[in-house]
Amino acid sequence: MKTKIPLFIAFLLAMTTEMSSAEPYKKLQADTIMSQQGNRALLDPNLSILRIFYTKYCDAVNIDPKDYYSPQSDTLVAKYCTKKFYAEIKDEIANGVAYDLLTDDYGMSKDAAKTLEITRIEPFVYQVKYVTKSVTWGRKEPTETVTLKVKMQDGRIDDVTNAEHPQF
């Protein structure tokens, strides 16, 4: 019972968050999972939270091409990530090579949020998938389909790994 209340509160917070017109919130109603008791569809607040976060994160990291991890990005990360994961991200930005832990360093091009797909793969673990421009030396801008495994804890992002290559 303890986990249901914080998740419901997280859902309410996610639903009351300011939303820009570019965000695909029509999909919020589709963020359901099937219950094992009967075949009732239940709203999974983590699906909505992840959709809101990654849509806003896409906007924030594309504000200034010179400053990928902008103050807006930091505000979102502080709000949507656990304290532990936020500390890891801040340490990477300050002391590492600025590896984007939230996208497994694939980044998010301006239109990535339009291709965002989020599915629940097990309790509190989700697959986040989107298409982004990849960085290459060629003339053509190829795209990369990014598939992430995101773990949630109490309505916040607790860890992100590459779903296809978890060892990296």
Side-chain angles (χ1 to χ4, degrees):
M1 186 69 175
K2 289 183 180 180
T3 59
K4 289 182 181 179
I5 292 173
L7 289 177
F8 181 71
I9 292 170
F11 171 71
L12 289 177
L13 289 172
M15 294 306 293
T16 59
T17 306
E18 292 180 30
M19 301 178 202
S20 76
S21 61
E23 295 171 332
Y25 289 102
K26 292 177 185 172
K27 292 185 178 182
L28 285 177
Q29 293 181 354
D31 289 343
T32 59
I33 57 171
M34 296 310 289
S35 167
Q36 291 178 352
Q37 304 157 351
N39 284 329
R40 287 184 29 216
L42 301 173
L43 193 61
D44 183 344
N46 287 329
L47 289 168
S48 299
I49 290 167
L50 286 170
R51 185 173 316 287
I52 291 167
F53 170 76
Y54 275 100
T55 300
K56 287 186 172 207
Y57 189 70
C58 181
D59 290 342
V61 297
N62 285 291
I63 290 173
D64 181 0
K66 297 173 190 165
D67 186 16
Y68 183 83
Y69 193 77
S70 66
Q72 291 88 343
S73 302
D74 185 63
T75 300
L76 283 170
V77 172
K79 180 177 179 178
Y80 286 92
C81 294
T82 61
K83 289 181 182 180
K84 175 187 73 93
F85 194 50
Y86 177 65
E88 288 177 36
I89 293 167
K90 292 294 282 185
D91 182 59
E92 177 59 34
I93 297 299
N95 303 315
V97 293
Y99 187 92
D100 184 358
L101 297 172
L102 290 158
T103 66
D104 194 39
D105 213 26
Y106 282 96
M108 292 188 87
S109 56
K110 189 175 183 179
D111 295 329
K114 293 177 184 175
T115 64
L116 196 59
E117 294 176 28
I118 302 169
T119 51
R120 181 177 184 236
I121 53 178
E122 58 187 76
F124 307 106
V125 181
Y126 301 82
Q127 177 179 318
V128 174
K129 190 174 186 178
Y130 60 91
V131 177
T132 190
K133 292 179 184 173
S134 61
V135 180
T136 65
W137 297 102
R139 289 179 146 187
K140 185 179 176 186
E141 290 185 348
T143 59
E144 182 81 42
T145 300
V146 180
T147 307
L148 306 170
K149 183 176 180 181
V150 180
K151 293 181 183 174
M152 299 289 287
Q153 179 182 330
D154 297 326
R156 292 177 178 253
I157 300 168
D158 190 50
D159 190 34
V160 177
T161 57
N162 185 316
E164 295 171 355
H165 308 288
Q167 68 275 17
F168 295 115

